[in-house]
Each structure stands twice: as structure tokens, then as C-alpha cells.
Amino acid sequence: MDSTSVPSGPSSWHGTDGSDYGALTLMQLLEKKKVTESELKQLSGVLKTNGVDMSTPLLTVDGFPRMDIDVAQIRSARNRIIHIRNDYKIIMQLLESMLHDIHARTISTVTSRAPINELDSVAPITSPNEPAVPAIETPFAKISNVVAGSPAEEASLRLDDQIRKFGNVTWLNHEKLSRVRITVQNSEGQTVIVKVVRKGTPDEELELKLKPRRGWGGSGLLGCTLVPL
């Protein structure tokens, strides 16, 4: 079986349009995820333009359609959003399953080929069809600013470092970086392991120790700005 595809899954792997997402390759799923996110953003814009959300009443107290908004457009957008959200959930479940499988098989290959006392230093072995870096730690954010004297600078974070993992947060679960903010708030005064990719010749993969704290002379707990990739 191609290492970047998954076997046919149950009927739950089928999207609302009947597409069998379980038959897609890793790259096809990633592209589908990107397209789905773009459509969700566009449809959310339709609701925002009308000044409503998914639960705003569309009828007057007398039971008539409101005249100050485009009720038909809103209903259509809401219906599509519901379908896309269901598709997005399936896509993310498949991606997580597929990437965990690739990661597990990579570790298994390393373990079976290396002597016990060498396991800590052996680099992952991948087949030609697998990513060179475990895909579960794909970069999802980058550093756009680091303040001098801040906890971020003390941890050796630099401008344009790409974040692969922030504590337990990865690209699969960062939820538009909201999980990063929660991790920072819950880790004040504690060490958080941050895995980054630093661009260069060659690129560097680093594991840094960051300790969010107050009283360093600036605002916030980190002294740096993260933006999504």
C-alpha cells in the first residue's frame, strides 16, 4: 500500500458530496483541508456581512422573514457551513490517523534496526514516499517579532523561526493558535518545550526550553509574536 494513502474506510469517511475521503493520499487530503478552510472563511464572511452568526434569528417576532438582511443568502450559507464542517471533521480525523501511522511506522523501523544503546541518537528512517520530517510536526506558525530581554529571547527563539510543536500543541490541534495561548497561560513559570525549524543552509531543527513569565520588563508572558503559516 502506498505509504501516503489510507485503506478504504467505513461510510463515515464519505463527505457530504459522496466523495470517499478515505481513498485520498496525504497530499490530496492536505489540499482538501486548505480548500475547505478557504470556503469556510468565505461563507463566514457572508454571515458577517449580514451582521449575523449561525444562531441569529432570521424571523421577526411575528414569524415573518426579516427585511433588513438577505435571509435566503444566509440560510444557504448556514446550510453549506454545516455540511463543510462535517467534511472538515472527517478530513482532520483521516489526517491525524494517517500521520500517526506514518510516525509509528517510522519509529518502529528505527527501533528494529538500531541497537538499544544507540536509539537515542539514531535519525528516523523513512521510505522514499514518506516525509523526511514526521508530518505530525509540520510547522504551523512562525515568530514575527522577538523583544530584547524577553523570555523568548532567553530561550533563543529568533525572528522567522517556524514552530513545529509548542508543548503538546501541533498543526493538527492548534485551532488558529488558540491552544498555544492557552498553553502559555497555563504554563507561567514552567518550562515549555518548543520545537522549531530555523531556516538556513542547511535548515536547523531545534528543541528549545521556554519559560513564560511576568516581570521581565515588557508586556505579556513571552515577549514575542506568533503568526500562523
Side-chain angles (χ1 to χ4, degrees), residues 37 41 44 140 173-181 228:
E37 289 173 339
K41 183 177 181 180
S44 296
F140 61 91
N173 64 2
H174 68 85
E175 297 177 6
K176 297 182 179 179
L177 304 186
S178 64
R179 293 286 295 276
V180 173
R181 288 190 289 272

Side-chain angles (χ1 to χ4, degrees), residues 143 145-159 161 189-192 194 198 206-218 220-224:
I143 304 294
N145 179 57
V146 178
V147 180
S150 66
E153 186 184 55
E154 291 174 358
S156 298
L157 282 168
R158 296 182 185 175
L159 183 68
D161 277 354
Q190 303 175 39
T191 298
V192 178
V194 181
R198 182 165 295 162
L206 306 173
E207 184 173 294
L208 307 177
K209 295 181 179 180
L210 175 64
K211 183 177 290 187
R213 62 180 177 85
R214 302 179 192 276
W216 55 271
L221 298 175
L222 300 183
C224 70

Side-chain angles (χ1 to χ4, degrees), residues 160-203:
D160 292 329
D161 277 354
Q162 295 187 357
I163 308 299
R164 294 168 49 209
K165 192 171 185 181
F166 193 102
N168 292 323
V169 181
T170 68
W171 77 277
L172 287 172
N173 64 2
H174 68 85
E175 297 177 6
K176 297 182 179 179
L177 304 186
S178 64
R179 293 286 295 276
V180 173
R181 288 190 289 272
I182 293 173
T183 298
V184 171
Q185 293 167 0
N186 293 338
S187 303
E188 184 175 351
Q190 303 175 39
T191 298
V192 178
I193 301 300
V194 181
K195 295 184 179 182
V196 306
V197 175
R198 182 165 295 162
K199 294 299 182 180
T201 309
D203 292 350

Side-chain angles (χ1 to χ4, degrees), residues 7-22 87 90 93-94:
S8 297
S11 58
S12 59
W13 293 148
H14 286 77
T16 53
D17 61 353
S19 300
D20 183 5
Y21 291 164
D87 289 348
I90 293 172
Q93 288 175 336
L94 278 168

Side-chain angles (χ1 to χ4, degrees), residues 120-138:
D120 290 339
S121 61
V122 174
I125 299 172
T126 59
S127 73
N129 291 323
E130 292 178 346
V133 176
I136 198 168
E137 291 183 358
T138 299

